[in-house]
Amino acid sequence: MALSSALLPRVGWAAAASDVTLEIAPYLLEASPRHHFRTVAYNGQVPGPLLRMRPGQEQSIEIHNHSGDPEIVHWHGLYLPPSIDGSMEEGTPMIAPGGSVRYSFKPDPPGFRWFHTHTFAGKDLTKAQFGGLHGFVMIEARDNPGRYDREVFLALHDWGGHFEGNDDGFMNPVYDVSTINGKMLGFGDPLRVKQGERVLMHVLNSSPTEVHWIALAGHGFRVIALDGNEVQQPQTIAMLRLAPAERVSAIVEMKSPGVWILGEVRKHVQAAGMGIVIEYAGATGKPVWTQPEDLVWNYQQFAGRGTAPSGTAPGDDPAIPIVLAFDSKFQGHGNEELWRINGKSYPHTDEPVLTAGRRYRLIMKNLSMDDHPMHLHRHTFEVRQVDGSPEMHGLWKDVVLVRAKSTAEVEFLANHPGRTLFHCHQQDHMDRGFMMVFRYA
Amino acid sequence: MLRTLREEHGRSISHCLPLFLLVLSLCFFFLSGVALAQGNYEIQVYGVDTVPPKNLMVELHSNYTVSGQTKTIDGVFPTNHQEHETLELTEGINDWAEVGFYVFTSWQDGHGVQWVGDHIRPRVRAPEKWHLPVGLSLSTEIGYQRAVYSSDTWTWEIRPIIDKTLGRWYLAFNPALERTLHGPDVHQGLGFSPAAKVSYDFTRKISGGIEYYADYGRIGDFAPLRAQQQQIFVVTDLNVSPKWEINLGVGLGPTAATDHLIVKGILGRRFDWGRKSPVD
């Protein structure tokens, strides 16, 4: 948990260098020699820099906005005060064009987190999360959840978005190019590995709107953490599914020498570039891809088995239910939908009041025809039911995909006072009102 | 010539003005005194959207002339009480092009069911990613129809398409140009045949509006009003499913050269023959 934070005055900055400096500036991304995107990036790279931090060890952060738009940096998955969490809905100040800000915090909780812009894109599908403003944060755990030889960070992203209306009036962005770490398949450096190596892959879906499915031909993933939180039942599986903003940490044992493709399972997305070559030392030849025939994933396999351990079960301290119904308001065929929580769109959504120290159960009823990756700021929640599953425990996340026409239930302890944003992490849904704020009594 | 005025599936504009615009349009129509008559095989105002690739749109256009021409003129059967059934097959090529194919048929007491002719219609559109303030598309259509149904047997048409969605309102304009390739009007040059549509989404599933179709005659030498084709339809679109298209309308034609009362219906079904697997 962040023990202290401070917004520092501009004067006196030069006196001490910050631990982390983020320069927000225009950037030309070369996804391939034939695919360039004018975007905005952190420190002249996409994804932004990997920030490694120690839990509880104070970090000073300095951010300079050299772009032409107001910016804000959200520290996704961290327990930070609303003043620096990075959401203007919570009260974090925007950084004006040409402006700078400096603050400090003690990072918590340990695990794979990330940082990204939290601005509005509207119909400009180059702005906000549609662009290149995202990067990794690794808050080093004292005890690693799995034995590994090296770590690799991979960000899945989609570029060149444009709206295509369908006949039912919804507007869903589609993309020209999809990348891993900013490069299309075959155009970035291969990931070079050695036989027998155990590679811990930290995979982030930073896509503004798309769920992605990832497989590595000839290999399986030993999933040890979701959204940076250790899972109770690590599983070795053939593919990963990541909704926007979700993260998966998985160990891959390199025991099949060759040249392989790690890429999107869906053919049209991999054809758009989402893939990276995995090359064993000494191996040559054309990268090999083995096409799966189905999309397979469920959250339940990672949850704890049996009854919930004492202290986390709602039976000890019954969680207070908060029912949230998601739907959309029709505004004309071919026109944008307005997204609603309990019949209201942000900024007109309700502001439920939380009492510090109490557990709450969010009962999310998705009445719409779309899946929604729901994110709660500044807290970690426990997924209790999803996709019609029986009651689960021990699956801790900060984003959960609530499937269309289904109900998902999560519980969290209200232990980080302050305004707390809750929203669909699909950028176009956020922009059209799919947000609400919890506040503490 | 066989008019191909097409309206695509619903689109939209805001609230409260729908009736006003409807009345305004009707006033314009009747006060202007313009009139029309048309082939009545495919009565549709074109929207900009094209059929997606690996999709086949199958449409049946059913039009019945309740009150039309009662005499045989220049060997062309009278249109009165003719029932026209047109099969339209449209295949998406990519995200900005499609090709349509038509089979026109007619049923009439005394003539039975008759094949009338066939047309082919390639169409392209400005892709969505161009982010134009209005939708733009260009259609061209060429085909044959038997002389007993149209004295001009080979015709060609080029149809610019402009449309715009404003909230629940949808506007479309088709300033089409036509040319006869074989028939009495072969030396007439280019004719001007505009069509337009204004509709309003009353609900997600029900839209209503008006469609206007006209043939003014040769560009630079428009026909006198009584010889022009002018027609206006009150229509509704039922958007029951993304796979289905349903359009119903009643059209009035006040000029001598226009069929006076027509009832039309379009039933369309989209077939997606791609993406058989979740991983495609």
Side-chain angles (χ1 to χ4, degrees), chain A residues 22 31 39 95 107 123 156 168 170 192 253 295 325 348 436:
Chain A
L22 295 177
T39 186
I95 310 167
K123 291 190 175 183
L156 318 177
D168 204 23
F170 292 89
R192 295 186 174 87
E253 287 190 51
L295 303 174
H348 306 294
M436 69 187 298

Side-chain angles (χ1 to χ4, degrees), chain B residues 155-188:
Chain B
T155 52
W156 170 77
E157 173 194 277
I158 188 160
R159 177 181 298 271
I161 300 157
I162 305 158
D163 75 2
K164 178 73 177 174
T165 299
L166 297 168
R168 289 175 181 257
W169 288 97
Y170 173 68
L171 313 172
F173 180 48
N174 298 176
L177 303 174
E178 298 178 347
R179 197 182 192 305
T180 298
L181 302 177
H182 188 273
D185 294 335
V186 71
H187 300 299
Q188 188 190 26

Side-chain angles (χ1 to χ4, degrees), chain A residues 191-210:
Chain A
L191 178 57
R192 295 186 174 87
V193 299
K194 295 174 186 166
Q195 186 173 359
E197 233 180 0
R198 289 166 60 89
V199 178
L200 176 54
M201 294 188 176
H202 296 292
V203 188
L204 157 70
N205 183 357
S206 61
S207 173
T209 63
E210 296 301 290

Side-chain angles (χ1 to χ4, degrees), chain B residues 29-30 36 230-233 250-254 258-262:
Chain B
F29 171 70
F30 286 112
L36 122 130
Q230 300 277 347
Q231 199 160 41
I232 195 156
F233 279 78
V250 177
L252 301 172
T258 313
D259 288 334
H260 297 311
L261 182 60
I262 295 177

Side-chain angles (χ1 to χ4, degrees), chain A residues 163 167 266-268 332-333, chain B residues 11-12 201 204 239 279-280:
Chain A
F163 280 122
D167 298 319
R266 293 167 303 166
K267 296 174 187 173
H268 67 288
H333 290 96
Chain B
R11 270 93 308 205
S12 15
D201 290 330
R204 184 186 293 279
N239 309 292
V279 299
D280 281 335

Side-chain angles (χ1 to χ4, degrees), chain B residues 53-71:
Chain B
K54 296 187 178 179
N55 276 250
L56 175 69
M57 189 73 184
V58 179
E59 291 169 280
L60 182 67
H61 301 258
S62 304
N63 306 317
Y64 181 70
T65 305
V66 179
S67 174
Q69 178 58 256
T70 57
K71 296 179 181 140

